[in-house]
Amino acid sequence: MCAALGVALAASLGFATGASAASQNYVALGDSYSSGVGAGSYGDSGSCKRSANAYGQLWANAHSGTTFTFLACSGAKTSDVLTQISSMPSNATLITLTVGGNDAGFTDVIKTCTLGTDQTCVDRVNTAKTYAQNTLPGLLDKVYSAAKSKAPAAQLVVLSYPRFYTVPGSCNVGLSDTKRSAINSGADTLASVISSRVSAAGGKFVDVRPAFDGHNICSAASDYLHSLTWPVDESYHPTAAGQRGGYYSPLTSAIG
């Protein structure tokens, strides 16, 4: 009798009971930072490189009873995420995603900064930032609107990208501090744009940059991000530790 009254009271006050809390229908959308490139254990996901260590999979594992749909794919741009959305269930209750870096030319930025001069790198980053500020907002709006239209009851959670470097840091070789600072500024611009558009769409923005501080490239504990590595596509992507500490932890702090 007391237990029944307790459940009824919890429901009347809006608290989640164990049964309701475990009934999430969770969809992970997005690009390589959501698929888990760099974190290993890709199973049979092919070129999408969906990792068993990705933050979405970690969250699903930690919430028993969750129905998990893993659609994030390496290399995805906003147009690709729109296709992912068309494949997701309309009864989703939680959607997470990262997107925008590939639209802004992340891969070319890294290539230019690795092979070019300081000024060439700064110029390429500035071009990417201009794109992010002027063109990307409209593309993000389409993605967020499509997600909310497909699954109206879902909570939309969008995560940022990390800053890649500690500047100045412990690295004695590789890119100059000028290049490292420029690349970091690109991540900051993306975070600002994404945060603004997520808020306008009524979603939640989760900033992962603080979680990566002290664990990024050239930091004392550079264990959250790969530098230049093999396979090349895993360069500048979170390690398994980065997915857990840099993405999963901020996500759970934000939504439980």
Side-chain angles (χ1 to χ4, degrees):
M1 181 67 173
C2 289
L5 287 173
V7 172
L9 179 60
S12 68
L13 293 176
F15 300 138
T17 65
S20 63
S23 59
Q24 289 274 25
N25 192 337
Y26 170 33
V27 181
L29 306 171
D31 56 24
S32 54
Y33 286 77
S34 290
S35 72
V37 170
S41 299
Y42 305 117
D44 59 358
S45 61
S47 60
C48 281
K49 287 197 167 182
R50 298 185 183 107
S51 173
N53 300 310
Y55 72 83
Q57 185 67 65
L58 296 177
W59 194 94
N61 292 347
H63 293 75
S64 62
T66 296
T67 299
F68 182 45
T69 304
F70 200 179
L71 297 173
C73 187
S74 177
K77 296 183 177 182
T78 50
S79 57
D80 300 304
V81 175
L82 289 173
T83 300
Q84 293 172 17
I85 290 169
S86 69
S87 299
M88 79 178 193
S90 59
N91 63 342
T93 57
L94 173 65
I95 300 167
T96 63
L97 71 101
T98 56
V99 73
N102 290 320
D103 293 82
F106 166 75
T107 300
D108 190 60
V109 166
I110 295 301
K111 177 181 177 181
T112 300
C113 289
T114 299
L115 301 177
T117 65
D118 282 1
Q119 190 59 55
T120 302
C121 173
V122 170
D123 291 345
R124 182 62 185 90
V125 171
N126 285 338
T127 297
K129 289 161 69 172
T130 297
Y131 181 96
Q133 291 165 330
N134 297 333
T135 304
L136 187 59
L139 300 177
L140 294 176
D141 288 349
K142 290 180 181 179
V143 168
Y144 304 153
S145 176
K148 292 177 74 69
S149 295
K150 182 65 182 288
Q155 179 184 17
L156 176 64
V157 181
V158 181
L159 299 93
S160 73
Y161 299 95
R163 295 188 188 97
F164 297 108
Y165 290 99
T166 293
V167 184
S170 59
C171 296
N172 295 318
V173 296
L175 303 186
S176 67
D177 281 353
T178 297
K179 291 180 177 180
R180 293 167 183 160
S181 295
I183 291 169
N184 281 354
S185 74
D188 290 339
T189 296
L190 276 174
S192 177
V193 171
I194 292 169
S195 175
S196 173
R197 301 326 305 157
V198 173
S199 297
K204 177 182 286 291
F205 174 70
V206 176
D207 190 356
V208 305
R209 291 174 298 171
F212 276 86
D213 287 346
H215 296 275
N216 42 22
I217 303 168
C218 299
S219 66
S222 55
D223 56 342
Y224 278 13
L225 283 164
H226 293 286
S227 184
L228 287 175
T229 188
W230 185 262
V232 174
D233 66 337
E234 298 193 357
S235 301
Y236 298 96
H237 282 82
T239 62
Q243 282 288 332
R244 178 172 291 279
Y247 273 95
Y248 171 69
S249 290
L251 177 63
T252 55
S253 294
I255 67 172

